[in-house]
Amino acid sequence: MTRPLNRRAALGSIVGAAAGLWVARAFGSVADGFDPHQPLTATRVSPRLAVFGGAGGNVVAARGKDGLALVDGGLEARSAELLKLVLREMNSPRVDVLFNTHWHPERVGSNATLGQAGAKIVAHENTRLWLSTVIKRPWDDEPFMPLPKAARPNDTFYTTGKLAFGDQPVEYGYMLQSHTDGDIYTFFPEENVLVTGGVICSDGWPLLDWWTGGWILGVVDGLDRMIAVANGTTKVVPGSGPVLTKADLVAQRDMYLVIYERLMKLFFAARSPAEAVEAAPTKEFHPEWGDPSRFVTLAFQSIWGQLTPDG
Ligand SMILES: [Zn+2]
């Protein structure tokens, strides 16, 4: 969080200069096409771990001998319903540990309830800082306000960490500047399940939040970190959408690298974001994921963020 202030200031002026090329729209934070009112789902993916969908992004719950860990907490509007379902499905009286994979609203909607109940809330330090300040991104209509103190992460780290609840260990690590500048993966070695957070989705183009530090080549780096953690039988839970494999992580890494290289060519040819969208740099990838315009626009702008001299 030392750099974004400078970078945001620099980008503010660039965005201002490019205002004619950028039409502000109220983009959400989850994959394109997400319906926030869909029914909640619970899917068991390993003996003591389940994925809960429908609350704004994938939420993972893992049972240990003495407790329950949750990775992300869904949107606040769905939190009460989600927590009830999680406790029932996982046969647990409470959530002991909550991980926030990054600061976006669909990840932190259960923080207030669980923080007040005394849960440990683990996140990267940058995520805690983002959740402690007002965030007004150029593509949103409304700012995001800071969370109350009791709802903020209370156990933060910078590089990697591990903990155990009973006999269930969890390893987690930082993915540098990928989807934001505070993304973490969580890995449950006993279940062989890796949770990616918002860096990738399997049901639509992810939001590349360059305003809070994400960038397209960082997504490649983040995927490299997760590829090093996974093995051939690891179940990979993306930010939203169905469970993936390590081979899918490798395929996504290769895809984002190709897209990055194409965008760099357009960047050095002084193209605008609209021209970058028009060049269709994602054309052979995932046509089923829908319109890539928002993803390409934000990915292109993320290059500005990284390559601005004082950024
Ligand atoms: Zn996100």
Side-chain angles (χ1 to χ4, degrees), residues 38-44 50-55 57-59 78 81-82 85-86 89:
Q38 62 190 274
L40 299 182
T41 59
T43 311
R44 186 74 61 159
V51 178
F52 295 82
N58 284 331
V59 169
R78 307 299 299 276
E81 190 189 349
L82 172 74
L85 179 66
V86 166
E89 289 290 319

Side-chain angles (χ1 to χ4, degrees), residues 109-289:
S110 294
N111 279 34
T113 302
L114 297 179
Q116 267 160 21
K120 181 187 279 199
I121 304 179
V122 182
H124 189 269
E125 174 62 11
N126 286 350
T127 293
R128 188 187 70 78
L129 292 172
W130 287 122
L131 291 171
S132 310
T133 191
V134 177
I135 299 170
K136 176 73 182 82
R137 303 182 298 193
W139 59 86
D140 294 319
D141 292 333
E142 299 291 331
F144 296 97
M145 302 312 285
L147 292 187
K149 197 133 195 261
R152 294 177 200 165
N154 52 35
D155 187 339
T156 63
F157 70 99
Y158 286 95
T159 52
T160 57
K162 57 170 84 169
L163 59 81
F165 42 106
D167 53 346
Q168 182 81 265
V170 198
E171 299 164 10
Y172 43 96
Y174 181 38
M175 291 192 280
L176 303 170
Q177 289 188 261
S178 46
H179 168 63
T180 67
D181 66 7
D183 296 87
I184 62 169
Y185 66 81
T186 50
F187 179 56
F188 295 85
E190 295 288 320
E191 311 295 308
N192 199 10
V193 174
L194 172 66
V195 187
T196 75
V199 176
I200 57 164
C201 300
S202 60
D203 60 350
W205 294 100
L207 179 142
L208 216 169
D209 187 351
W210 57 263
W211 191 257
T212 61
W215 94 289
I216 177 76
L217 194 57
V219 173
V220 175
D221 292 338
L223 279 159
D224 277 334
R225 293 205 166 193
M226 291 192 285
I227 288 164
V229 171
N231 63 37
T233 55
T234 302
K235 293 188 172 98
V236 179
V237 181
S240 64
V243 171
L244 302 171
T245 63
K246 180 176 182 173
D248 295 319
L249 289 181
V250 173
Q252 289 223 19
R253 179 208 177 273
D254 294 347
M255 174 186 80
Y256 285 118
L257 189 59
V258 168
I259 296 170
Y260 162 74
E261 286 165 352
R262 288 175 185 168
L263 291 177
M264 284 300 280
K265 280 193 190 131
L266 294 160
F267 173 81
F268 284 117
R271 295 291 189 264
S272 69
E275 287 168 328
V277 170
E278 208 171 301
T282 67
K283 61 178 176 293
E284 74 271 41
F285 301 117
H286 298 292
E288 76 278 13
W289 283 0

Side-chain angles (χ1 to χ4, degrees), residues 29-30 102-107 179-180 183 197-199 207 209:
S29 290
V30 289
H102 58 288
W103 72 266
H104 286 163
E106 77 282 0
R107 310 291 154 182
H179 168 63
T180 67
D183 296 87
V199 176
L207 179 142
D209 187 351

